[in-house]
Amino acid sequence: MHLMRLCYCLGTLLPAVSSFHMTSPSATRRVSRQLKRTQLQSTSLPPSGGGESNSSPISLIVKSEESDRQNDLMLGEDSGMFNWSNEKWGALGESGWLTFFAAVATILTAVAVLWIYPPTGYGDDFVSFLENDVAHGNPHLVTLAFGIIFPIVHSGLASLRPLGEKIVGARTWRVIFAFPSLCLAYSWIVYFISHAHEGFQFYDISQIGWVHGLAWIINFTSFLFLYPSVYNLKEVAAVEKPKIHLWETGIIRITRHPQYVGQVMWSGAHLAMVGTSFTALTMALLVGHHYFACWNGDRRLEAEHGESFLKIKERTSVIPFQAIIEGRQQLPKDYYKELLRAPFVLIAVGSIGAYFAHPYMQAGAALAKNTGLVPGGILDGIFLEFN
């Protein structure tokens, strides 16, 4: 394998080496781009070379093929690359899927025990505090409080990542970042489901068939607009060391901030179905947070990748397709290879599953609301000792 990789790298380098006798600026830029392309490709499996492919959709999902990237800067990574043959269960503690599922089970168990389950968790205490002590029974003020607290915690911890990783390491900081974000996200989602139809009713078109169908399509499509870093589930779960990636392909060609675009689509579709003042406020808060995240995300990427990010920023846009229309971004002729990849299939299946799980989500939210407050939790003894 190492010999094949070396031969491939040498074969790619030869055209560049033979061009070094040219001294014009354009020739130098072509050589530089070729070398950068070689460096990126040498860290992964040899690409298919772009162009036409006889591979079937299934084979492309099982093993990703690189698109024709001859017009790319080759400064960022190719998003969503996947090869089934490289995936291993591995032993517990190794960077395999067994460790991934163990890590996910551990963090979700911690969230369930310390936050969700009323007799042991503190999620009900937190929501009760917001409802009674802060909002005095006004659900609009509760969702407003969530819309302020969640961005501060989520984006604040993300911004503190460089400092936090220096102190506790990348994997530990990911856990510190994820735990409160998951807890607050759960409580806000449950509260939204329970109170979505409250407040002033602007309109009610949820019973119109084509409106429901259009909203479903928009909702489904919105989940395809996820930031490529979430594709690497092992990094998300801190099984592999989390990194601040610089992406150049896939959905990034359409919009540099797909998470923001997806949130706008999701919020618009839900607001179309549930036209209440409570839903309108909640959707505005969610979109507002993601709008801020566009600026904060660019700031963090520039701090991490410097000039490389700024060059990719020039070739991309926040508004979908804007960079393409303006000629700053060129889609490869085989762009489908960048979308027909395993992460998108997993997201599509998960989105359909989430739709059919809606009745269970509503039942769970109703159960949480009807259970009400069970004061205290599993850590009360420790808190009492400190007092």
Side-chain angles (χ1 to χ4, degrees):
M1 177 62 71
H2 292 291
L3 179 60
M4 292 175 61
R5 190 186 302 277
L6 179 60
C7 292
Y8 174 78
C9 293
L10 288 174
T12 311
L13 275 170
L14 284 176
V17 173
S18 64
S19 301
F20 267 111
H21 69 278
M22 300 181 182
T23 58
S24 66
S26 60
T28 302
R29 285 194 295 269
R30 285 197 298 271
V31 171
S32 177
R33 183 174 296 180
Q34 182 66 39
L35 287 172
K36 290 173 181 175
R37 183 180 290 111
T38 302
Q39 290 171 353
L40 285 175
Q41 292 173 345
S42 65
T43 60
S44 60
L45 291 175
S48 64
E52 298 299 326
S53 172
N54 295 323
S55 302
S56 67
I58 298 299
S59 65
L60 290 175
I61 293 170
V62 173
K63 182 180 179 181
S64 302
E65 288 186 8
E66 189 179 81
S67 65
D68 182 2
R69 298 188 61 189
Q70 62 179 342
N71 294 318
D72 286 354
L73 297 173
M74 304 306 292
L75 297 174
E77 299 177 62
D78 194 357
S79 65
M81 292 294 284
F82 178 82
N83 189 340
W84 177 264
S85 63
N86 293 338
E87 303 302 321
K88 308 294 181 185
W89 279 104
L92 194 62
E94 297 178 350
S95 58
W97 288 107
L98 182 62
T99 303
F100 166 80
F101 285 112
V104 171
T106 300
I107 189 69
L108 292 183
T109 299
V111 171
V113 173
L114 296 174
W115 192 259
I116 296 176
Y117 186 51
T120 62
Y122 295 92
D124 56 328
D125 300 83
F126 178 73
V127 173
S128 177
F129 168 74
L130 292 182
E131 285 185 314
N132 300 316
D133 298 335
V134 176
H136 302 291
N138 188 329
H140 293 76
L141 294 181
V142 174
T143 199
L144 177 61
F146 272 118
I148 295 173
I149 296 171
F150 180 81
I152 291 175
V153 173
H154 188 75
S155 294
L157 290 175
S159 298
L160 290 172
R161 178 176 177 175
L163 176 62
E165 289 185 346
K166 290 180 181 178
I167 298 173
V168 299
R171 289 186 175 88
T172 302
W173 185 256
R174 174 54 58 90
V175 176
I176 294 173
F177 163 79
F179 181 79
S181 296
L182 287 172
C183 291
L184 290 172
Y186 165 82
S187 293
W188 197 5
I189 291 171
V190 169
Y191 194 84
F192 168 72
I193 294 174
S194 299
H195 299 271
H197 296 274
E198 296 186 14
F200 181 79
Q201 184 83 43
F202 296 109
Y203 53 83
D204 184 7
I205 55 177
S206 59
Q207 302 306 315
I208 301 177
W210 70 266
V211 173
H212 181 274
L214 180 61
W216 190 94
I217 293 173
I218 295 174
N219 276 325
F220 176 82
T221 307
S222 72
F223 284 101
L224 300 178
F225 283 80
L226 289 175
Y227 195 69
S229 290
V230 305
Y231 299 165
N232 192 337
L233 297 178
K234 293 177 185 176
E235 279 192 28
V236 173
V239 173
E240 295 178 351
K241 183 179 179 180
K243 302 175 184 177
I244 301 179
H245 293 274
L246 180 62
W247 304 107
E248 194 175 357
T249 66
I251 199 69
I252 297 299
R253 297 187 190 274
I254 306 298
T255 169
R256 190 170 67 255
H257 290 285
Q259 206 94 347
Y260 167 69
V261 174
Q263 185 63 63
V264 171
M265 296 170 64
W266 187 91
S267 296
H270 277 74
L271 184 58
M273 293 294 292
V274 186
T276 64
S277 56
F278 177 89
T279 298
L281 176 58
T282 304
M283 297 303 105
L285 290 167
L286 287 169
V287 171
H289 173 218
H290 283 75
Y291 182 75
F292 164 79
C294 291
W295 169 83
N296 196 39
D298 281 353
R299 181 190 63 81
R300 294 172 59 218
L301 283 170
E302 183 177 354
E304 181 72 18
H305 297 283
E307 189 67 22
S308 294
F309 166 71
L310 293 178
K311 290 181 179 179
I312 290 180
K313 182 180 180 181
E314 292 176 357
R315 293 165 58 93
T316 55
S317 61
V318 177
I319 300 175
F321 301 103
Q322 180 182 355
I324 298 172
I325 294 173
E326 294 175 351
R328 294 183 286 121
Q329 173 69 241
Q330 289 184 335
L331 295 182
K333 59 183 178 181
D334 53 353
Y335 179 56
Y336 69 92
K337 291 182 180 178
E338 297 182 8
L339 302 180
L340 197 58
R341 292 178 176 176
F344 285 99
V345 176
L346 182 61
I347 292 169
V349 172
S351 300
I352 295 173
Y355 172 76
F356 286 107
H358 268 56
Y360 303 100
M361 296 179 188
Q362 294 169 340
L367 177 61
K369 183 178 181 180
N370 294 332
T371 300
L373 174 64
V374 180
I378 196 172
L379 301 180
D380 284 358
I382 298 176
F383 295 147
L384 291 174
E385 289 183 7
F386 283 108
N387 293 331

